[in-house]
Structures are given as structure tokens and as C-alpha cells.
Amino acid sequence: MNDSADHGDPFSENGKQGDGQIRWDDARIFLAIARAGTLSGAAAQLGLGLATVSRRIERLELGLGIPLFSRHQSGYRLTDEGEALLVRAEALEQAGFAFAERGRHAAVSGKVRLATAENLANPFIIPALPPLLARHPALSLEVLTDVSTVNLHRRDADLAVRMVEPQRGHVVLRRLGQLGFGLYGAADYVAARGDSSGFEADQFIGWAEPYGHLPAAQWMERVLAGARLHAGNHNPFRPAFRCACRIGSCGAAALSGARGGAGLH
């Protein structure tokens, strides 16, 4: 008889199904079904048979004593109990990845996927890569430049450098620095506007609606709305500022517009 049986440990050493016994690796099955929404999708993702996936999720539910999914013709949906355990299962997954990484050889090698925004990649990250790659010739870096959020738990990326703090998930955060904001315009545009201290007559280069969550977009809205109220315009239905154009990306496109004299950015 093993120690886990002697001490009433609910976690099985041999993985056999039994009352109250849980196998850690079954959390991987739970996550795959939660992400795919179907047994067949989870089985394809894991490279396992459909019957194996079905048997192991039932074993996990039996061990936990709660239903993790409700079964429908269209697929599997998380129950409230399953939803509550999702973040913990993701933390367990990340701990497994970290455990495996510790066991590998010390040399830095393989492919690392970094997700970041274009206006961070172009002036800062990409120019800093040559010394890193020279020190680690076996390292292959893939840089994804997009403002949309990636899911690190699904391994969409290994690292992310962002200006927006993630609101969910079990991830390790580190502040790299502070970013300041200001309004910039072409020399000809600024000269033509004269000494005006207000922004009522100015044109601006803003962001398309999907990018309104970005810190720079929120800063512009907040500062210019305050300037409008200071000038005595209390009409809540009037926009805080007038956009000559809205950019569906960030960084280089908006900078080109400002340099070309399309407005302030």
C-alpha cells in the first residue's frame, strides 16, 4: 500500500480511478475541452482518442465531486464550478511549463514568441535584438506586432510587452518603465495655428474604435475633454476633439499623419 493511501491523500499516484482520487494530468484534459468546446476538438489538440478524453474528464469530475461541464448537442460548456476552477487549472498548467523549463539544459535555445505593439517593437525592441541573438545563436525569436490581446495560457505567445495590464489569468508581471504622452504636430501645422492656447480649431489624428482602450487614446480623450470644459463648453454631446482621421493601427501610421500635417497626435 502506498503512502497516499495510508494518509488519505486525494491525489492518486498511479492514476487509477477511485473515490476522491485526482490525477494532476487530467487538468490538461479539462483545459483542452474548455478551450475547444468539444471532445473531438480537445482530442485533436491533445493527440488522444475521443474515448480517452471522455473517460479522463469523467474521472476528474468524479474525483472533484462536481460537474465541470454541461453537455449539449453543440458541445461542452463550463458550469459555474468549472468556470471557478479555470484560472487555477491555468496556473497548474503554467507551473508544469515552468517545471519542464527548469529541467532543460542551461543553454538558451529554441523558438520564443514575443507579442508586443508596433510602436514598441519598431523603435525599441527590434533594434535591441542583435546583441541578444549574438549571445544566444541557438535562439529564434518571433515578434508579433499587434495591439490585440494574446492569450499566454493558450501559448499564443511566450512573452508579451504591453502598455495595458492583463485583467485575468495567472501571469507574472514586471514593469519595464514609464511612458509619457504629449501632443505632436508638423512644424508647418504648429506655425499655422499661431499662439492659440486652446484646441477648438485643431484637427486631430485619433484611433479607430477598436483601439479606444489603448492608454494613449484614453489620455487624449481625457486631456482634451478637460480642455473643452475649461474653455466653457459644457455640451456633453459634443465630442472632446475633432478627428481629421482615425487610424486602424498604432505607431507609424499616426506618426506619418502628424508629420504630413494632417493634425495633432
Side-chain angles (χ1 to χ4, degrees):
M1 185 176 294
N2 60 40
D3 290 340
S4 64
D6 289 338
H7 298 290
D9 191 336
F11 295 98
S12 168
E13 281 190 9
N14 57 22
K16 292 182 180 178
Q17 182 172 321
D19 290 341
Q21 289 188 329
I22 299 170
R23 185 176 181 184
W24 287 107
D25 194 47
D26 287 345
R28 189 167 62 105
I29 308 298
F30 167 61
L31 286 173
I33 298 174
R35 290 163 180 168
T38 62
L39 286 182
S40 58
Q45 178 182 325
L46 296 169
L48 298 175
L50 194 65
T52 299
V53 173
S54 177
R55 182 174 63 251
R56 288 178 61 177
I57 194 60
E58 289 176 1
R59 178 175 66 189
L60 180 60
E61 289 180 318
L62 180 63
L64 291 171
I66 56 173
L68 299 173
F69 297 95
S70 57
R71 278 72 168 171
H72 303 269
Q73 286 187 340
S74 58
Y76 278 47
R77 299 176 190 167
L78 284 168
T79 61
D80 290 342
E81 294 88 348
E83 191 74 46
L85 286 176
L86 185 61
V87 172
R88 294 188 179 186
E90 289 175 337
L92 187 61
E93 179 185 52
Q94 291 302 306
F97 287 139
F99 187 83
E101 288 293 335
R102 288 287 184 181
R104 293 179 182 173
H105 52 80
V108 177
S109 63
K111 184 173 76 172
V112 175
R113 187 174 295 149
L114 170 67
T116 188
E118 179 186 330
N119 58 348
L120 292 176
N122 291 349
F124 301 116
I125 296 175
I126 300 297
L129 291 182
L132 173 68
L133 298 176
R135 287 197 305 271
H136 306 290
L139 175 65
S140 174
L141 192 63
E142 182 177 341
V143 181
L144 310 175
T145 56
D146 196 350
V147 296
S148 58
T149 303
V150 297
N151 191 318
L152 296 179
H153 297 301
R154 286 202 310 259
R155 308 296 280 185
D156 292 344
D158 302 296
L159 301 169
V161 180
R162 291 297 193 201
M163 293 182 288
V164 179
E165 184 175 336
Q167 298 302 309
R168 66 180 300 273
H170 188 80
V171 295
V172 178
L173 303 179
R174 178 181 297 176
R175 174 175 287 182
L176 300 180
Q178 289 184 313
L179 183 67
F181 298 115
L183 288 174
Y184 300 88
D188 290 345
Y189 180 94
V190 174
R193 74 188 297 273
D195 298 329
S196 174
S197 59
F199 299 105
E200 289 290 318
D202 282 299
Q203 298 278 11
F204 292 90
I205 301 169
W207 285 266
E209 186 175 347
Y211 302 89
H213 69 286
L214 295 175
Q218 294 178 349
W219 176 86
M220 180 181 282
E221 181 72 31
R222 184 173 63 252
V223 169
L224 295 178
R228 180 194 64 190
L229 293 175
H230 181 73
N233 180 4
H234 297 276
N235 182 355
F237 299 104
R238 182 173 178 179
F241 54 95
R242 183 170 59 255
C243 276
C245 62
R246 294 185 180 273
I247 304 298
S249 63
C250 63
L255 185 61
S256 295
R259 283 176 171 166
L264 298 178
H265 178 73

